[in-house]
Amino acid sequence: MASHRKSRPTGSRVAGIRTPALATAALTSVALLSQSANAAPEADDKPSLEEVEKKVGDLYRQAGSATEKYNAAKEKTAKQRKRVDTLLDDVAQRTQKLNEAREELGSFAAAQYRTGASAPDTATFLLADTPQDYFDQTQLMDRMTGRQKVAVDDYVTQQAETMEMRQEAAESLETLTESQGDLKTAKATVQRKLADARELLSKLTAEEKARLAAIEKEKQEEAARKAAELARQQAEQQAQAEQQQAQAEAAQQQERGSSSPSGSSASSSAPADSSYATKAEKALAFARAQIGKPYVWGAVGPGSYDCSGLTQAAWKAAGVTLPRTTYDQVNAGTTVPISQALPGDLVFFYDDVTHVGIYIGNGMMIHAPKPGTYVREESVYYDGESSIHSVVRPA
């Protein structure tokens, strides 16, 4: 009997099954393309050395910003803690006075009881939570002597003041808790930024670290060149100012025929400059003595410093009190152009004012740069001219 099954077309088998070589080649091509597609992003994901340098620099600056916030929170916490301690001491003293006033009233009540003059109203008063409401009743006030009324008034006053101080202490404790929270947050931020920077640097190869050091050296050389340029500019300005002053004095002498007026004029302007120079010399002597000590965020000496801790300590040695943070120090004096900076002036950096150094002249400063470094002399252009925010004369 003939079969009724239809024969399968042979064309499709030739294209789909009977050509294993073609299928294998196609699969191999897909696999290779897939591998190359996956490999390309991995190569592209690795940042360039310049990108690493910028990222690390940004992280250190962000850590510096967080450090100043930490310093501010720490200062606020210390002040608030002192305020709370004072309030609690005051509350304790007022509570003692309140107890003494209550005892005096109790003695009056006992005396009334012994003499038979005690009334239920008196006992009710002594047991009342708010005696002032009861004192307003004239029937009780009429039964009190002048001395008793004074005692009652004193009790009411002490009670009201004690309650007020307790409320103020509770609010201050709440503020202290908030300040401690800010302190904890700022500290965690600093630690996280520094850890991120260290992780980035740890991934560099020896060759990349060498290239990074070379880039840093180039930046230092450029910064030194800019410092020398500033030093020349300041020297020219100084020479020009001295020449103009000499010409003015000569003109005065010629006009008046005497040197005494010009002498008084010179002496009137000298004390301010002389006074500042004397203080600045003391501040700089202190700062120089700290060179080589490590940067530690939040530190104010004597073994280590952060940037604002160093400038604060230096000027304290000269008898000038500066605020703790860069945010406040930048407002603690007179702003001058960088071209007119004098030794002792404070040089602030970045738009958010998160770094500061103390100018020593010739375009150089002493500062505590960042974690992992030490207090050192360096060009004010160490991070580029655009990084300089302002110059402030603090005294």
Side-chain angles (χ1 to χ4, degrees):
M1 176 184 274
S3 174
H4 294 284
R5 287 187 302 174
K6 295 181 180 180
S7 61
R8 295 179 181 176
T10 59
S12 61
R13 297 186 67 181
V14 171
I17 297 177
R18 292 186 176 180
T19 55
L22 290 175
T24 302
L27 290 173
T28 303
S29 298
V30 170
L32 289 174
L33 288 172
S34 176
Q35 290 176 1
S36 61
N38 291 333
E42 291 180 1
D44 293 339
D45 282 346
K46 184 175 182 180
S48 67
L49 192 60
E50 289 74 15
E51 290 173 337
V52 170
E53 182 197 24
K54 183 180 185 305
K55 182 63 176 177
V56 169
D58 289 343
L59 286 170
Y60 276 132
R61 281 190 288 276
Q62 290 166 13
S65 176
T67 297
E68 291 306 313
K69 291 178 181 177
Y70 170 84
N71 292 339
K74 186 177 181 180
E75 186 176 40
K76 182 179 179 181
T77 299
K79 289 180 179 179
Q80 199 62 36
R81 189 185 301 278
K82 185 177 180 181
R83 174 64 176 161
V84 168
D85 290 344
T86 300
L87 287 172
L88 291 177
D89 289 343
D90 198 357
V91 167
Q93 293 174 3
R94 291 183 183 279
T95 300
Q96 177 63 28
K97 291 181 180 179
L98 182 63
N99 292 335
E100 292 173 357
R102 184 181 288 115
E103 289 175 1
E104 186 174 5
L105 290 176
S107 66
F108 288 148
Q112 285 183 342
Y113 180 80
R114 287 194 300 271
T115 60
S118 178
D121 290 337
T122 305
T124 302
F125 154 70
L126 291 175
L127 295 174
D129 291 333
T130 57
Q132 181 59 54
D133 294 340
Y134 198 78
F135 293 154
D136 291 337
Q137 302 178 31
T138 56
Q139 56 182 1
L140 179 62
M141 297 300 292
D142 290 341
R143 288 200 285 272
M144 292 183 178
T145 65
R147 182 181 175 189
Q148 289 173 328
K149 289 180 180 179
V150 170
V152 168
D153 290 341
D154 183 53
Y155 176 81
V156 173
T157 300
Q158 294 296 337
Q159 186 186 49
E161 291 180 351
T162 301
M163 291 178 64
E164 182 180 349
M165 294 304 295
R166 282 175 178 168
Q167 178 63 28
E168 187 175 352
E171 293 174 354
S172 293
L173 280 171
E174 184 177 351
T175 303
L176 175 59
T177 301
E178 293 175 357
S179 299
Q180 289 173 329
D182 294 340
L183 185 64
K184 185 177 181 180
T185 299
K187 182 176 182 179
T189 300
V190 173
Q191 292 173 332
R192 186 176 66 254
K193 297 295 184 182
L194 294 179
D196 290 344
R198 285 192 292 267
E199 182 180 1
L200 278 173
L201 292 173
S202 68
K203 293 180 179 179
L204 296 177
T205 64
E207 181 183 355
E208 287 173 331
K209 290 179 180 178
R211 286 173 55 202
L212 191 62
I215 293 174
E216 182 64 24
K217 184 178 180 181
E218 290 178 3
K219 289 177 60 178
Q220 291 176 351
E221 290 173 350
E222 174 62 16
R225 187 189 66 78
K226 294 286 293 182
E229 181 181 334
L230 176 61
R232 286 193 298 271
Q233 181 183 356
Q234 290 179 330
E236 291 173 359
Q237 290 179 346
Q238 179 66 22
Q240 185 177 3
E242 291 175 354
Q243 183 180 4
Q244 290 175 348
Q245 182 177 1
Q247 291 175 348
E249 290 177 354
Q252 286 181 352
Q253 290 178 1
Q254 184 176 2
E255 181 179 351
R256 300 180 182 181
S258 172
S259 62
S260 57
S262 62
S264 62
S265 174
S267 63
S268 64
S269 61
D273 294 339
S274 175
S275 174
Y276 180 77
T278 300
K279 293 177 182 177
E281 185 177 350
K282 293 179 180 178
L284 289 175
F286 179 92
R288 287 191 176 96
Q290 312 314 307
I291 291 176
K293 293 184 178 180
Y295 175 104
V296 174
W297 62 272
V300 293
S304 58
Y305 297 89
D306 63 15
C307 64
S308 55
L310 176 64
T311 52
Q312 183 189 46
W315 271 103
K316 183 179 180 180
V320 176
T321 300
L322 292 180
R324 175 64 183 92
T325 67
T326 54
Y327 309 130
D328 294 326
Q329 288 183 9
V330 74
N331 297 316
T334 304
T335 302
V336 297
I338 184 68
S339 61
Q340 297 178 17
L342 295 176
D345 289 353
L346 302 178
V347 186
F348 295 90
F349 297 86
Y350 312 119
D351 292 339
D352 54 356
V353 197
T354 52
H355 188 64
V356 62
I358 184 167
Y359 192 66
I360 61 176
N362 295 325
M364 303 293 288
M365 66 177 175
I366 297 174
H367 71 146
K370 60 186 178 183
T373 63
Y374 299 85
V375 176
R376 66 193 184 200
E377 290 187 10
E378 196 163 25
S379 168
V380 294
Y381 299 105
Y382 81 107
D383 202 20
E385 186 172 1
S386 61
S387 67
I388 298 177
H389 176 274
S390 57
V391 178
V392 173
R393 191 157 298 154

